[in-house]
Amino acid sequence: MPRPTSRLATARFIAVIAGGIALLLVLAVSAGDSFRGLFPERADEGTAIGVRAHLAALQRIADDNGGNRSMGTPGYAASVEYVRKRLVTAGYQVQVQTFRVPRFVEVAPPVLGWTRKQYRPQVDMRTMTYSPSGDVTAPVVGVDLKLPAPPTPDSSSGCQPADFTGFARGSIALVQRGGCPFTEKARNAQGAGAAAVLVMNEGQPDRTAVFGGTLAGPEFRVPVLALDYQVGAELAGAAAGPDRPVVHVATRTSNDNPETQNIVADLPGGRPDRVVTVGAHLDSVPEGPGINDDGSGVATLLDLAERLSPVGAGPSSRPLGRDPLPPSGAAVPPAPEPGAVGSGPLGRDPLPSSAAAPSPGSPAAPAGSPAAPPAGSGVAPPGGSPAAPPGGSGVAPPPVPPRNHLRFAFFGAEELGLLGSEHYVATLPAEERARLMVYLNFDMLGSPNYARFVYSGGSVESPAPPGSDAVTKVFTDHFDAVGLTYTTTPLDGRSDYGPFAGIGVPVGGLFSGGEEEKSRAMADRYGGEAGVAFDRCYHQACDTERNISDRSLAELGAAAEHAVRHFAAAETSPRPGQ
C-alpha cells in the first residue's frame, strides 16, 4: 500500500515556527551561550528546516521502496547511502560497517484457538520475531503466573528453569511478560519440553495489549507467540479448571542471514582517548517507514552533525534545494513564495552565515591528538561558546574544534534486537572500548502525543553503569534551565545504549514516548490526550511524516544538542578512571 508523504501547510509552519522562535529566545536567555549555534544561520527555522528535510528524504526513500526502510531491503540500502553521502560531504571520516544478521519473515499470520474461541492475529496475539514455524495442538500449562496482575510490574514468570518444575513435557507453556528477556523465558520453556510458548502481557494499565517482541535470533525449535493480557488470563483460568483446554498454535515463518550495515562517522580532531559517541538507529520495522521510530533521531543527529562539521552539508547537497549561503555582509534575500523555483523547504531560503574568525586564544588539542578541523566544526570550546558577533546581528559565530573526539553512529538491525549496536561494541578492540567516554542515545524524538523522557538509572537486573547519573544531570539541568518539565525513565535495555552499558560506558539519552498510553497525570503535565498512546503509529504503516510533533522535535532536539556540545567540550569525563 502506498505511503502518503506530507508537507506542512504554510500557515501551520508559521505558527510552529513562531512558537519555536519564542522557545529559542528563552533558551538563549536562560541557558546562556551553551545554545549558541543551535540555529547557526540565525535563531529561526534553519534547523527545523534541516531536520524536516532529512525526514522528507527518509519518507521518499520508503515511498520508493515498498513503504519501509527495514533491514535487508532496498529501502534500508537507500537510507544508508543517503546518510553516508551527507556525512562524507560534511567532511566526516565515514566507515560503513557491514555484518550479517539473522532475518525473520512472517510468511502467514499465526493461529491460536481452542474449542471456545479463535483468537485474532495482531489484535489478540502476534508471532514473536525469530519464532520458527510450527503446528502444535496440546494442553496449556501456566508457569508461575501472577493473576490478577499486581499494580506495578513484578513478574518473573519463566525466568528460571526452576519455574518449570513439574511441567508436563509436550504441553504449551503460558508465561507472563516481565523480569527477564523473552529469550530466557522461551529457552527455559523449550528446555523443559514445551511444544510451544505463549508470552502474555503482564497486566498493568500500560501493559495489557498484544505487543511486539523478539527472541534475538533463530535458535528456537518451538513456535513462540505474544498475547494480549486478557487472552492469557482467559487461557490461564481455563487451564486451572478441571478441563484443561487443548489449544492449537501454528506459525509460518522464514529465517535467513543477510548482510546489513552500520554507519560510523568521526569528526576529525579532539582527544583520541575520550570519544563522545552519539547514536540513533537507521532501520524501520517492515510494517512502515519509521519516520518517528527512528527517523526523528536520525534526522536530528544528521542535521546536528552537518552543522558541527568544518564544511556543513556543502552547497551541492543542501536539503530540498537550499541554496549556498551568501557571503558575510550580503543582503538577506527575501523569502520566496512557497513552491517558487530554487526555494528551500516550505518556501524558505537560508540566511547568511557569519564570517567572523574564531575567538583568539582557543585551547590547543592535547599532544598526540588527531589534527583538529578548521574553525567551523560547530562544537563549543571548553568554558562556553565563542563571544557573540558584534552589532547584535543574531548570527552565530564560527565555532572551534572540540576538546573531545566526536563520533556519530547510525545503527542497523535495532528493530531485530539491537543487533547493529551489539556488533559494533563486540568488534571494538579493548583499547578502543577504553576510549569511549559516553554514549548518548536518541530513539524517537517526535512522538505526536509526546512527553520529555530522560533516561535515568537502570534496574536490579541491569544497573546503569557508573557515571550515567552525570549524563542524566546534563539533560535535566538543561530542561530546568529553560523551564520545561521532564520525566525520568529507566534504562531498560530497549534501545542501542544497552550494548554500551554492558561494557561499562556511561549512557543516557532522550525519548518522546512509544506505544504506552499517556495517563491523565501525564496529559495534565505535558498536554496531549490521556488514554492515547504517546505514538499511536508505533511500528505501523502510519509512522510517516504526518506522525511527527514539531514541538517535540524542537524541545528534545535542543536538549540533544546541549548534551552533545557539553560532552564534546567537557574537561572531565563522567567515566570513572578515564
Side-chain angles (χ1 to χ4, degrees):
M1 175 178 179
R3 308 296 192 265
T5 53
S6 66
R7 291 187 181 273
L8 298 174
T10 302
R12 178 179 172 224
F13 176 77
I14 293 171
V16 168
I17 292 307
I21 293 172
L23 171 64
L24 289 169
L25 291 174
V26 172
L27 291 177
V29 172
S30 303
D33 284 346
S34 296
F35 301 98
R36 191 177 306 284
L38 175 60
F39 289 84
E41 294 157 4
R42 282 192 181 179
D44 65 358
E45 69 271 27
T47 295
I49 289 176
V51 173
R52 269 290 181 178
H54 291 314
L55 291 176
L58 295 175
Q59 179 72 65
R60 288 194 300 273
I61 287 170
D63 291 342
D64 293 343
N65 291 280
N68 70 72
R69 302 179 301 102
S70 63
M71 188 278 301
T73 66
Y76 185 72
S79 299
V80 168
E81 186 62 7
Y82 174 78
V83 172
R84 186 195 69 80
K85 284 183 175 179
R86 300 293 305 208
L87 292 167
V88 168
T89 302
Y92 282 78
Q93 298 169 346
V94 180
Q95 174 192 4
V96 177
Q97 186 181 48
T98 299
F99 57 102
R100 288 192 177 274
V101 298
R103 177 170 58 182
F104 169 82
V105 176
E106 188 171 39
V107 178
V111 175
L112 176 65
W114 54 309
T115 54
R116 294 185 187 177
K117 190 169 186 178
Q118 294 295 315
Y119 296 103
R120 299 165 295 174
Q122 310 305 319
V123 177
D124 299 324
M125 46 82 181
R126 295 179 63 171
T127 306
M128 278 208 172
T129 301
Y130 297 124
S131 168
S133 295
D135 195 322
V136 176
T137 300
V140 168
V141 176
V143 178
D144 192 25
L145 304 177
K146 291 192 175 182
L147 301 175
T152 58
D154 191 37
S155 171
S156 61
S157 166
C159 291
Q160 302 296 329
D163 293 345
F164 293 86
T165 300
F167 182 84
R169 297 183 70 86
S171 300
I172 296 171
L174 175 62
V175 298
Q176 197 168 11
R177 183 183 185 182
C180 65
F182 302 128
T183 50
E184 291 187 30
K185 297 176 186 286
R187 195 176 293 130
N188 291 332
Q190 182 174 272
V197 184
L198 307 178
V199 185
M200 61 182 288
N201 214 337
E202 193 168 358
Q204 290 76 34
D206 60 346
R207 291 167 74 88
T208 58
V210 67
F211 57 94
T214 178
L215 300 174
E219 66 174 273
F220 296 96
R221 302 184 305 274
V222 301
V224 184
L225 299 184
L227 308 186
D228 176 279
Y229 171 76
Q230 293 299 335
V231 172
E234 183 176 49
L235 289 173
D243 300 318
R244 289 193 301 167
V246 175
V247 173
H248 180 212
V249 176
T251 55
R252 287 184 61 200
T253 64
S254 171
N255 289 286
D256 61 2
N257 198 39
E259 288 186 340
T260 192
Q261 295 81 30
N262 295 326
I263 301 174
V264 181
D266 288 82
L267 181 68
R271 290 183 57 164
D273 60 336
R274 289 187 178 171
V275 179
V276 177
T277 307
V278 188
H281 73 85
L282 186 53
D283 61 317
S284 75
V285 295
E287 289 82 1
I291 299 303
N292 187 34
D293 182 16
D294 182 30
S296 59
V298 169
T300 296
L301 295 190
L302 188 53
D303 178 76
L304 177 57
E306 289 179 332
R307 292 184 293 107
L308 296 183
S309 77
V311 297
S316 65
S317 59
R318 291 190 171 275
L320 300 182
R322 294 174 72 185
D323 294 328
L325 300 177
S328 177
V332 178
E337 292 299 317
V341 175
S343 66
L346 307 171
R348 301 301 298 269
D349 277 341
L351 297 169
S353 62
S354 170
S359 301
S362 298
S369 296
S377 68
V379 181
S385 299
S393 68
V395 179
V400 300
R403 175 185 296 273
N404 303 308
H405 188 73
L406 186 57
R407 176 175 296 160
F408 287 87
F410 300 86
F411 294 116
E414 189 270 358
E415 296 291 4
L416 297 182
L418 318 184
L419 301 184
S421 53
E422 285 182 350
H423 176 82
Y424 173 75
V425 169
T427 55
L428 275 181
E431 60 272 20
E432 291 295 330
R433 292 186 179 191
R435 294 171 182 167
L436 298 178
M437 173 177 161
V438 66
Y439 175 73
L440 307 178
N441 193 74
F442 302 103
D443 186 355
M444 301 177 65
L445 301 182
S447 301
N449 198 28
Y450 76 102
R452 301 175 207 96
F453 288 108
V454 179
Y455 289 120
S456 176
S459 63
V460 174
E461 298 85 5
S462 181
S468 298
D469 55 345
V471 182
T472 298
K473 190 173 186 299
V474 170
F475 289 108
T476 59
D477 283 353
H478 162 78
F479 285 127
D480 287 339
V482 300
L484 293 175
T485 190
Y486 56 86
T487 300
T488 58
T489 188
L491 291 155
D492 59 6
R494 287 185 62 185
S495 194
D496 286 313
Y497 56 79
F500 290 87
I503 60 170
V505 178
V507 296
L510 300 172
F511 173 52
S512 57
E515 75 274 30
E516 303 88 353
E517 289 186 0
K518 178 178 276 190
S519 66
R520 168 49 58 193
M522 291 288 278
D524 291 343
R525 190 173 192 181
Y526 292 102
E529 298 181 70
V532 175
F534 294 102
D535 181 358
R536 70 178 75 194
C537 288
Y538 175 77
H539 283 191
Q540 297 180 50
C542 57
D543 187 10
T544 67
E545 283 184 285
R546 298 181 185 274
N547 189 48
I548 291 289
S549 163
D550 291 304
R551 184 171 295 278
S552 181
L553 275 181
E555 293 171 356
L556 273 66
E561 177 158 357
H562 168 76
V564 172
R565 290 181 182 275
H566 172 90
F567 287 111
E571 297 185 17
T572 59
S573 170
R575 188 171 186 179
Q578 191 178 58

